[in-house]
Every structure is written in C-alpha cells, then in structure tokens.
C-alpha cells in the first residue's frame, strides 16, 4: 500500500491563518472562538464535551457556491450530497432546503435521507455491495438512480426489478483507471480498486444491461477518490474517458441521458492547495461539455467538512519523558481520521487568552488505550489547563459518522449553529444506551 502523501515541510498554519480561511469561525477577545454568532465556549459549557458542532450558514454557503460554479460553467447539473460523510438529519434538512439531493451507500442512509425529506427523485444509490434487501428498498422507493458497479450486480438488479414489476434507472459506474493521488485508503478510481467496471468492459456491459428486463440504462458514473487536492488532471483524465465511452455508446444506439461525475473534491485541512468548485466545473465542462448532457455531482467532504468542528476539553496536561501531552476528553472513537488516515486537523483553543499565549510543541491525545489515539504530534499549542476547551477544525465530514463506542465511550452529541441560534440535533448517548439490546442468556443467570 502506498504511503500517504507527505505534507509539505512548512510550519503549521497559525490560529489566525486557520480562522481566516474559515469565515464561519472567528476569534473574539471576550467571547473567544465563535461559530457564526455563537461562542463555542457557551456550547461546550451548556452541552458538555466532546461535542460536534455544525454551521448551518457554512453548509448553505458551500452548497450555493458549488451550485453557482456549475451554473456559471453553463452546466445543467444536480448535486447529490454524499451523506456517508455526515448523515445528521438536521444537516440533511439544511442541504435539502438548498436543493441538494442525496448520494446514499446503504439502506440505512436511504432511510435517513427519506426521513430528512429528501425526495426519492433526488436520491442516487452507490456502492459495490448493495444487498437484495437494499435493492428492493431502493426500487420500492423508486429512487432516481442506482449506480451499478458490476455485471453481476446488474443481474441482481434486473431480477429484483422484474420480481417487483418495477423498472430500475441504472447508471453504470466505470473505473477509469486514473490515479487521483490521494491517500491509498480513499483512492477508488484505479483498476486494482474494487469499484466500478473496467473501462474496456463498460460498453459490452452497458449493451447487455439495455437488453435486460427491469432495467432502464440512464448513463454512466465514476468516482475516483476522496480528498483530491492534486489539481484537476485526474478528474480531467477520468471525464475524458467517460466522454469517449458515452460517445461510443451513443454511436451504438444506446441511451445515455446523464453523466454522474462523482465526488472527491478535497479541502485544505492544513495548507494543501484545495481545488475550487470553479476548477471542477471547468474540468467537467472541458471534458464532457460537448456531450451536452445533464451532469450529476456527489460531493461530501467539500460541502460538510469545513462546516463542522469537534469540541473537546483538556483533562490534563502531562509532561512525559519526551513530550508534553495534552490529554483531551475526545478520542479516536469520536474522530478517527488522524489515527486512520494520518489526517491533520487544525486545533484552536476556544479562549482568546489561550489562543494568544506562548506556544510549545505538544502531543494531543485522547484517553483511549491505544497509542494510535493521537490527534496531533509536535503541535504548537499554549500551555493548557484542565477544563480548557479546544476545537478540532474541519470535522464536519467523516467525523461523527465514523465514531464508535470503543472503550464504552458514548457517542458525542451533535449541535447545529444557525446565526445566533444553536440546538442539540442529536443528544449525547446515555450510558444506558451502551447496554441497550444486550441480553445475557438465561443459563448464565441461574
Ligand atoms: C464517498 C463517495 C463520494 C463522496 O466523496 P467525497 O470525497 O466526500 O466528496 C461520492 N460518491 C461516491 C460513490 C462515494 O463513495
């Protein structure tokens, strides 16, 4: 497996530099770190920590600027939020109100999307292993599109649709064999990855699909990876291959109504050069424009990542043999990205006094019994006292959704900020929930 891309050998951005690029966050002398009009310290105090906090304003702003970029490029486009990155009901409500549909990858996500009021006609179902039960659920809901990832899956879809007397609108996910130059665990568009069908097989599979009962072929799809920051070249290469395929299919008289361009647009966690939605829209336009077809996008991280933070409190600061450790009350069971992907997250103290105090290198760690439960190494932070609160930035995507109760740590609450308002949109899991559904067999109790 390829090693993660090394970060540039530059100094970490300062608190001020981090905040300047995140307009929904600001540091005030009295109120400390604010999200929109709400002091985050107030949320930490009232709700407790750890806690996820999302900015409705940032979600709306990002959804709008993505749509604007697509429109500006002259594209007829729909945006389907990849809700695997954040499946919170209130977040989906905010994005649904902006006209975003959903890209779902499980029956559970489909259930939540519908509960959030996302119309079935705006839902796409992706994923390499949809079960018969999930396909039945998708057809019963009559969702907009199923993205099929193999010839074998197409047979399953046809059988289920025929059995239900339905027609499935199916796009064929193609693996364009491009290297998106992202972390090995989240690259999906190389030929050795499990996703999609090989480009060389796509035309045959598409033709076969068109002949099967219960299936209406509607187009082709791709998704080449996540957290793509290496510019537009991989996107351009993938879309150029899709364009060629679409033309070949059309030449064979097969219907191609739309192109699903996937997601993957990266964000700047540290100082990565994050591509803009304008650049992505331009790449789509340049490679696919001549087809004159509607396009679909499935962004997740780009929309929700920067909109969220994870609040944590310092349990204690411990001077180890080699390092100063800041032990916080959030852990890898909450935010797993640093231990899973070696991810870098900005860390900002909530107090402006702390944020302007002298800095020293610190290891920021959680209480879980794993050395991997480390959020940051050698991070310049002020000396922190027990009870001081900090925010992990850019935790709105692949944050809460990836959390677990490892070490019997209840799931942290989620809070939505909207202007001067905030509300808990998912309560902290009570300790009793850790026992819920557990059953000790009778023979052990006698
Ligand atoms: C994960 C995923 C996305 C979203 O990826 P982001 O990097 O969050 O934009 C889109 N489409 C598919 C099929 C995915 O699996």
């Amino acid at each position: 497996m390829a090693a993660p891309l090394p970060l540039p050998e530059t100094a970490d951005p300062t608190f001020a530099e981090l905040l300047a690029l995140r307009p929904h966050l600001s540091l005030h002398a009295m109120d400390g770190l604010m999200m929109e009009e709400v002091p985050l310290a107030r949320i930490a105090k009232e709700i407790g920590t750890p806690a996820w906090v999302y900015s409705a304003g940032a979600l709306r702003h990002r959804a709008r600027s993505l749509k604007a970029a697509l429109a500006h490029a002259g594209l007829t486009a729909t945006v389907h939020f990849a809700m695997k990155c954040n499946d919170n009901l209130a977040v989906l409500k905010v994005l649904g109100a902006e006209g975003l549909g959903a890209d779902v990858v499980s029956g559970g996500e489909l259930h939540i999307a519908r509960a959030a009021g996302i119309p079935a006609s705006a839902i796409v179902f992706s994923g390499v292993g949809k079960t018969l039960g999930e396909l039945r659920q998708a057809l019963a809901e009559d969702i907009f599109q199923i993205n099929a990832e193999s010839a074998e899956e197409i047979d399953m879809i046809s059988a289920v649709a025929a059995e239900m007397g339905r027609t499935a609108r199916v796009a064929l996910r193609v693996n364009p064999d491009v290297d998106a130059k992202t972390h090995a665990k989240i690259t999906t568009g190389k030929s050795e990855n499990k996703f999609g069908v090989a480009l060389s097989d796509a035309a045959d599979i598409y033709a076969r699909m068109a002949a099967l009962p219960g299936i209406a072929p509607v187009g082709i799809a791709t998704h080449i990876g996540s957290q793509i920051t290496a510019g537009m070249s991989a996107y351009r290469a993938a879309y150029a291959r899709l364009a060629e395929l679409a033309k070949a299919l059309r030449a064979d008289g097969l219907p191609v109504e739309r192109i699903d361009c996937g997601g993957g647009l990266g964000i700047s966690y540290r100082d990565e050069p994050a591509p803009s939605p304008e650049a992505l829209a331009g790449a789509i336009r340049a490679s696919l424009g001549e087809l004159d077809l509607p396009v679909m996008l499935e962004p997740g991280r780009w929309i929700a990542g920067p909109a969220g933070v994870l609040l944590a409190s310092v349990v204690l600061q411990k001077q180890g043999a080699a390092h100063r450790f800041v032990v916080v009350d959030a852990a890898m069971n909450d935010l797993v990205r640093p231990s899973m992907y070696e991810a870098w997250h900005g860390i900002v103290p909530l107090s402006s006094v702390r944020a302007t105090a002298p800095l020293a290198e610190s290891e920021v760690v959680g209480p879980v019994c794993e050395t991997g439960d480390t959020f940051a190494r050698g991070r310049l932070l002020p000396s922190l006292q027990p009870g001081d609160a900090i925010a992990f930035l850019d935790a709105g995507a692949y944050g809460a959704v990836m959390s677990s109760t490892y070490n019997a740590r209840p799931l942290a609450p989620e809070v939505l900020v909207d202007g001067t308002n905030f509300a808990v949109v998912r309560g902290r899991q009570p300790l009793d929930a850790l026992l819920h559904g557990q059953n000790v067999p009778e023979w052990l109790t006698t």
Side-chain angles (χ1 to χ4, degrees):
M1 190 174 73
L5 293 178
L7 285 165
E9 299 271 323
T10 55
D12 286 336
T14 64
F15 301 142
E17 285 167 343
L18 288 168
L19 298 179
L21 294 173
R22 292 158 181 80
H24 54 294
L25 297 174
S26 56
L27 190 64
H28 290 243
M30 295 301 292
D31 290 323
L33 189 62
M34 314 262 294
M35 179 180 276
E36 302 191 33
E37 306 300 319
V38 180
L40 286 169
R42 198 177 139 207
I43 294 177
K45 187 153 174 259
E46 287 182 25
I47 315 297
T49 53
W52 307 92
V53 190
Y54 310 124
S55 158
L59 290 167
R60 286 189 197 105
H61 176 75
R62 298 184 75 79
R64 284 176 199 173
S65 47
L66 184 57
K67 287 176 68 173
L70 293 163
H72 192 74
L75 295 164
T76 304
T78 51
V79 179
H80 305 263
F81 177 61
M83 61 180 278
K84 74 169 185 279
C85 84
N86 189 323
D87 61 16
N88 182 279
L89 213 51
V91 166
L92 295 177
K93 275 271 178 207
V94 169
L95 295 176
E98 294 300 315
L100 267 56
D103 173 56
V104 306
V105 292
S106 70
E109 287 190 357
L110 175 52
H111 186 70
I112 296 172
R114 296 293 291 122
I118 309 277
S121 60
I123 297 178
V124 187
F125 200 149
S126 303
V128 72
K130 303 172 206 81
T131 64
L132 288 173
E134 287 172 327
L135 291 173
R136 281 191 196 105
Q137 188 187 347
L139 283 164
E141 293 273 3
D142 195 23
I143 65 168
F144 184 63
Q145 177 173 308
I146 298 174
N147 287 357
E149 303 223 6
S150 62
E152 293 81 352
E153 183 183 25
I154 287 166
D155 289 338
M156 284 171 67
I157 298 171
S158 173
V160 171
E163 157 203 306
M164 294 175 71
R166 299 255 175 170
T167 300
R169 287 173 290 274
V170 179
L172 182 62
R173 176 162 173 186
V174 177
N175 185 323
D177 193 21
V178 297
D179 184 355
K181 301 232 176 346
T182 181
H183 192 283
K185 285 181 186 163
I186 50 176
T187 196
T188 57
K190 291 204 272 184
S191 58
E192 74 249 33
N193 299 137
K194 67 180 175 181
F195 300 99
V197 304
L199 198 60
S200 51
D201 299 334
D204 285 348
I205 295 175
Y206 201 90
R208 234 190 105 240
M209 171 162 94
L212 284 177
I215 293 194
V218 292
I220 49 182
T222 197
H223 171 69
I224 59 174
S226 194
Q227 182 53 9
I228 298 170
T229 55
M232 284 297 126
S233 55
Y235 276 118
R236 276 178 189 272
Y239 296 153
R241 287 170 199 182
L242 249 52
E244 262 177 60
L245 174 63
K247 281 188 246 168
L249 295 173
R250 275 178 170 176
D252 288 346
L254 293 161
V256 182
E257 291 169 24
R258 50 191 181 249
I259 311 282
D260 184 341
C261 297
L265 200 59
I267 59 174
S268 184
Y269 285 98
R270 183 181 183 252
D271 52 7
E272 306 91 315
S276 67
E278 287 75 17
L280 179 61
I284 294 173
R285 173 82 211 190
S287 305
L288 295 164
E290 62 170 322
L291 296 174
D292 200 23
L293 289 176
V295 297
M296 300 160 63
L297 239 71
E298 303 164 350
R301 185 191 315 269
W302 192 88
I303 302 254
V309 299
L310 172 63
L311 301 183
S313 297
V314 174
V315 178
L316 52 87
Q317 184 174 284
K318 154 178 170 171
Q319 189 56 53
H323 301 290
R324 175 165 100 185
F325 290 100
V326 177
V327 185
V328 299
D329 64 358
M332 64 187 286
N333 73 294
D334 302 301
L335 180 64
V336 76
R337 298 192 66 260
S339 40
M340 187 144 138
Y341 308 119
E342 295 84 25
W344 192 100
H345 281 266
I347 301 175
V348 179
L350 298 200
S351 145
S352 61
V353 175
R354 294 280 184 268
T356 49
L359 306 173
E361 285 196 356
S362 309
E363 311 282 294
V364 182
V365 301
V368 161
C369 303
E370 302 249 5
T371 303
D373 187 21
T374 297
F375 290 114
R377 299 209 155 85
R379 188 66 64 88
L380 287 175
L381 288 173
S383 183
L384 293 166
Q385 301 299 314
D388 280 351
I390 58 172
F392 292 95
L393 306 185
D394 308 320
Y398 306 103
V401 283
M402 293 181 104
S403 56
S404 75
T405 58
Y406 185 40
N407 279 214
R409 293 169 47 82
L411 298 177
E414 294 172 273
V415 178
L416 188 75
V417 167
D418 196 353
T420 56
N421 289 327
F422 73 92
V424 175
V425 291
R426 178 182 223 148
R428 187 181 306 283
Q429 196 176 35
L431 285 183
D432 266 347
L434 298 171
L435 297 169
H436 184 78
Q438 297 207 51
N439 176 50
V440 177
E442 209 180 325
W443 72 81
L444 293 181
T445 63
T446 53

